[in-house]
Amino acid sequence: MNGYCFPDGVSASNSSARQPAAEQRRLTKKDVLFSANTPFTGVFAIRRGSSKTSVTADNGNTQIVRIDLGGDMLGLEGFAAGIHTTTVVALENSTFCFLPYDRLMHVAQQRPALREKLLGVMTGTLVYHQRAAYALASTNAEQRVAGFLIVTSERLAERGYPGPDFVLNVTRQEIGSLLGLTLETVSRCLSGFEERQLIHVRGRHVELLNQIALRKLVVQVV
């Protein structure tokens, strides 16, 4: 993670270009960054920490749709809707940058690299949700849990953390919500992986012992 509010890969020659009137917001665990149906005035980026993004159906049921890590941009759906359609909650003490829409668009016009990066982030978010929908429709419980562990490891490694050895800031119930599984099924899958010496679990600390075997369980699209 580069420590700036803009996505990785966007270079700038001065601090005003790197952080266009960005406002830092520090949240503690369980604090709400923004809620569904609130006005869209800009996008957020995680500078430090992590969060969960969820949607609420008309019947009141809430489902987690994404675990957000440092460098991720949040609230992008508001570009089209004019309001936030998701709710984001901090999973730990975290720092977010708020990028006002008008200033972000002004800087994007001046910096083609930033504009292209933003489009890339939006496209990547769409692809992510398409793959997640496919996985829920076409994979079994073990494949989903294995895919979650592999993807989490890869995402953390991209941010400079030791990928195969990490701490989960989400509960097993939250993992189940993300994957469309019950708490009991998630626990059963993790216990099964540990019995087969694919992983080692200590509380929320997870170590991937046999990534090759885990990857064999995962459908390529995940």
Side-chain angles (χ1 to χ4, degrees):
M1 185 178 63
N2 62 7
Y4 299 126
C5 293
F6 284 157
D8 291 342
V10 179
S11 59
S13 58
N14 57 71
S15 60
S16 63
R18 289 183 299 189
Q19 295 195 356
E23 171 192 340
Q24 289 197 31
R25 299 187 184 180
R26 292 180 174 85
L27 273 63
T28 58
K29 184 177 180 179
K30 296 185 179 180
D31 283 349
V32 177
L33 181 64
F34 60 79
S35 301
N37 299 318
T38 56
F40 170 79
T41 56
V43 298
F44 294 83
I46 302 180
R47 188 167 187 178
R48 296 184 185 87
S50 59
S51 62
K52 60 181 179 181
T53 297
S54 62
V55 295
T56 301
D58 292 338
N59 61 9
N61 290 336
T62 298
Q63 180 174 352
I64 297 173
V65 294
R66 184 180 174 91
I67 303 300
D68 315 298
L69 303 177
D72 286 342
M73 297 190 72
L74 313 173
L76 295 172
E77 78 285 349
F79 277 109
I83 59 172
H84 291 293
T85 59
T86 59
T87 297
V88 174
V89 178
L91 290 170
E92 57 185 310
N93 293 344
S94 304
T95 302
F96 301 82
C97 292
F98 173 65
L99 309 176
Y101 173 80
D102 54 350
R103 179 57 68 91
L104 182 59
M105 291 299 97
H106 173 74
V107 175
Q109 290 176 357
Q110 303 298 319
R111 299 186 60 79
L114 173 59
R115 183 170 61 250
E116 292 175 7
K117 198 69 178 182
L118 285 172
L119 290 173
V121 170
M122 293 183 204
T123 301
T125 300
L126 176 61
V127 171
Y128 173 88
H129 288 299
Q130 288 176 332
R131 289 182 173 180
Y134 177 89
L136 289 177
S138 62
T139 58
N140 60 35
E142 274 201 346
Q143 290 172 321
R144 296 181 201 178
V145 176
F148 170 76
L149 294 174
I150 290 294
V151 169
T152 299
S153 174
E154 291 175 344
R155 294 178 69 200
L156 290 171
E158 290 172 355
R159 290 157 173 80
Y161 296 97
D165 195 341
F166 54 89
V167 175
L168 289 173
N169 289 318
V170 289
T171 65
R172 295 186 179 188
Q173 185 171 3
E174 288 170 329
I175 294 173
S177 176
L178 175 68
L179 303 179
L181 303 171
T182 64
L183 166 63
E184 293 75 17
T185 300
V186 172
S187 295
R188 185 168 59 251
C189 289
L190 292 174
S191 296
F193 291 161
E194 191 160 27
E195 290 174 0
R196 287 142 63 184
Q197 298 186 338
L198 304 182
I199 65 174
H200 179 52
V201 180
R202 299 189 305 277
R204 293 192 182 183
H205 183 276
V206 179
E207 182 180 3
L208 306 188
L209 302 176
N210 191 337
Q211 294 188 63
I212 295 177
L214 284 172
R215 290 179 186 280
K216 287 182 179 179
L217 293 172
V218 182
V219 173
Q220 185 61 39
V221 75
V222 175

